[in-house]
Amino acid sequence: MRALRPLLIVAALLYGVYGVASIALHRSLIYPMSDQAFTDTRFERVAVPVPDGSVIDVFVYQNDIRAPVALYFMGNVGALELFRPMLNHHISKGRSVVAMTYRGGGGMAGQATEARLKSDALAVFDSLPDLVDSAAVFLHGYSLGTGLAVHVAAHRETQTVVLSAPFDKMCDLMTAASFLPACLLPVDRWVTSQDAANVIEPVLILHGSADTLIPLKHGAALAAIFETQGTPVRFVEIPGAGHTNLMRFPFYLSTLDAFLDG
């Protein structure tokens, strides 16, 4: 046992160094932003002031003034161009669309953090009356964007919430990937389950059965939280779908449309 002690000390020191480095670099892993610009000329680009004194770009597509508005929060690659198919689908169904950019992504300046993105999302929601004409707004978040959608729904009144491939605690995903107790560390934890406690709007959760990035159990756990507290929620498993190919499954789109149109 005495002979193993030096090895254990070295292992502990290396683990500590690994932990410190992981904390320092965790945002580059959570927000692997693409700098690909959004070039859809159907959208108007609007600079929205945010609480820290800067502005972020928001892209607005105005359909009929009676059309519902989809406030869309994308995934963590941060380039709206990569989510054009979902934006196109909302437009094809007669909806207006407001899509928020993320700091550091899509050519935007700055560094994304959990606090900044959540503050930006609330500012964008509050600016909606100046951006688009409609009385009905629903939130649609995908992956990282589901954390923003739930945060906005917890602090503002909206019609409904659609969550595609959500997580209940991102820090649990980080723990599984890093072998570090991420939920106890000074990192961006993204504990959506905390905000979920304040959501009263109807919620649709769509999750692929073959999702390995954010496994199905995370969406199911979030649905259970909503159900337990009495929030109207529907959890739908998309058979065979992974994390990045939900749009290829007609059942995903038909379920989303039936929920929104109903």
Side-chain angles (χ1 to χ4, degrees), residues 82-156:
L82 302 177
F83 300 92
R84 186 193 289 263
M86 190 68 252
L87 304 182
N88 285 342
H89 181 77
H90 282 313
I91 291 172
S92 73
K93 295 300 178 179
R95 302 163 192 146
S96 297
V97 177
V98 176
M100 179 181 131
T101 60
Y102 295 169
R103 302 183 193 223
M108 284 286 297
Q111 167 66 58
T113 69
E114 179 181 1
R116 287 172 187 159
L117 289 177
K118 287 181 174 179
S119 177
D120 292 348
L122 290 173
V124 170
F125 182 89
D126 291 341
S127 71
L128 286 177
D130 299 323
L131 298 175
V132 65
D133 292 320
S134 179
V137 177
F138 70 90
L139 310 177
H140 184 190
Y142 165 74
S143 193
L144 177 74
T146 62
L148 294 177
V150 175
H151 184 71
V152 172
H155 293 85
R156 301 291 189 269

Side-chain angles (χ1 to χ4, degrees), residues 36-47:
Q36 187 172 1
F38 187 58
T39 57
D40 195 322
T41 57
R42 296 172 300 173
F43 284 75
E44 178 185 3
R45 182 173 181 167
V46 182

